[in-house]
Amino acid sequence: MRIRVRYAPSPTGHLHIGGARTALFNWLFARQSGGQMVLRIEDTDRSRELAGAEGKMVDALRWLGLDWDEGPDIGGKFGPYRSMERLDLYRSLVNRLLEDGRAYPCYCTPEELEAEREEMRRRGVMPRYSGRCRHLTAAERRRFAAEGRPFTVRFRVPEGQTVSFDDLVHGTVSFETNGIGDFVIVKSDGIPTYNFAVAVDDHLMQISHVIRGEEHLSNTAIQLLVYDALGFAPPRFAHVPLILNESGKKLSKRDESVVQFVEQYRDLGYVPEAVVNYLALLGWSPVGEREFLSLEELVQEFSLDRVGKSGAVFDPVKMRWLNAHYMRGRSDEELLKLCLPHLVAAGLLADPPSAEDLEWARRAVELYRDQLEYAAQLPELAGWLKSLPDPDPEGERILEDPSARRAADAFYQEVSALSEWTPDGIHAAFKRVQKTTGLRGRQLFMPIRVAVTGRTHGPELPKVLDLLGREVVLGRLREYADRSRTVPREN
């Protein structure tokens, strides 16, 4: 069998991590087998479509390193690749179903349908269409048509049958047709519904495998009815597990406490290799439970056999941990390029940065490269280099200790006389202060760190002070000395 898969998003928003994972799994499956990947835009939901969404999705997919063999941007022999450009194809097949009696026009108004659903809910019955218009006489249909009454086209679902298919992840899955109800295949505006268009497109584009989210399992039964009615051979199906939040519930796109869109990760300064690596591990596991896999390694190892059935919990902490690993593998210049836009946006550098700004940024990146989880963190981590923040309560307690002023004054005297301002020279100054004052460890270093950085934690202090520069360090130590003189101390 020639492997052909597709990723078919709707242009209704940004590329979600769930959609990105679906695209990745399809891409890996195709590339491993030497098959083909199709990008298809399912744009039949005109009310929810957002201007520019398609272009942003395409850009996000390319940022992840994914490509495709056919699509709206590059063409192909099975096009067009946007649903709204395929209306004539759908129309001819709908007419065939109407002629065969496998579909019929439905003249029910939205109000009538809602009243019907409400009555079923009142009786404790799962709402579904009752089929009232399937029994209209030819005369009734002519009368409604003459009145210009709007209509949809519904598929006539056979009664008393079982629709079964062998899912490559979940095994045998079955649905009873009596629980489905006659479903709409063409809306009143003449545009086909998702379940009809996707079945037609997958057949006409010769898709061999449909890999998508588990939430589409029930849609598969509907689509198989369409395949059967049109005499089409269905593809193989693989439904990958849902992505869950940390509470074990389906991850909601409205949950703003979790970064969920690929474009956001790109804008935060994540690297695409890390995002791809993490998405691959959401519901799939490699042999040997390895954590770090390149795109090339994922192609070699990916298998639907190792896709799990249970939901995959999205862990933002692990995502950041993976990204930090990949960032440490980047050169200083690559990290600088990632971080510069964030430093400019935070007002820490001019736009465009001067040569002096670029040198400062380079040294800040070098100082924090082992702590960075993503590039947008650098302004928060390094902002104190430009403007001294107020210390937190712990820092205030450190500065109020009687020995803190003694440590700061002694250190000021030592570093003000340094002939060469380097990390080694600053380290030697600390050694001399330790010898002359008898202060050691936390008693010596913490007051200096808090007075100069406003923080109780950070990179190696001599490197920090070297980056700040002599005048800034001396100025901040003087400010601390002035403040400490005006604050009465408890005996």
Side-chain angles (χ1 to χ4, degrees), residues 44-110:
T44 56
D45 192 349
R46 310 300 280 177
S47 64
R48 296 177 58 230
E49 185 172 336
L50 296 179
E54 178 185 327
K56 290 180 179 179
M57 283 186 172
V58 167
D59 289 344
L61 290 169
R62 288 195 173 123
W63 179 76
L64 291 172
L66 307 184
D67 59 359
W68 40 93
D69 304 289
E70 301 168 28
D73 54 335
I74 58 177
K77 66 178 182 179
F78 295 100
Y81 293 92
R82 295 186 183 91
S83 298
M84 290 301 291
E85 297 172 5
R86 300 171 63 82
L87 295 181
D88 288 343
L89 294 171
Y90 307 135
R91 193 174 294 116
S92 65
L93 293 170
V94 170
N95 288 337
R96 186 206 299 181
L97 293 177
L98 288 168
E99 292 167 4
D100 293 344
R102 306 297 292 268
Y104 59 89
C106 173
Y107 295 93
C108 295
T109 65

Side-chain angles (χ1 to χ4, degrees), residues 339-394:
C339 293
L340 275 177
H342 302 285
L343 294 170
V344 170
L348 298 178
L349 302 180
D351 187 12
S354 65
E356 184 180 348
D357 283 335
L358 290 174
E359 175 60 19
W360 179 89
R362 184 191 64 76
R363 295 179 67 190
V365 166
E366 182 180 342
L367 187 66
Y368 279 103
R369 67 173 296 126
D370 290 337
Q371 293 177 251
L372 274 179
E373 293 178 317
Y374 52 93
Q377 278 185 327
L378 189 58
E380 180 184 352
L381 290 171
W384 60 267
L385 290 165
K386 293 284 189 177
S387 176
L388 180 63
D390 293 330
D392 61 18
E394 181 186 359

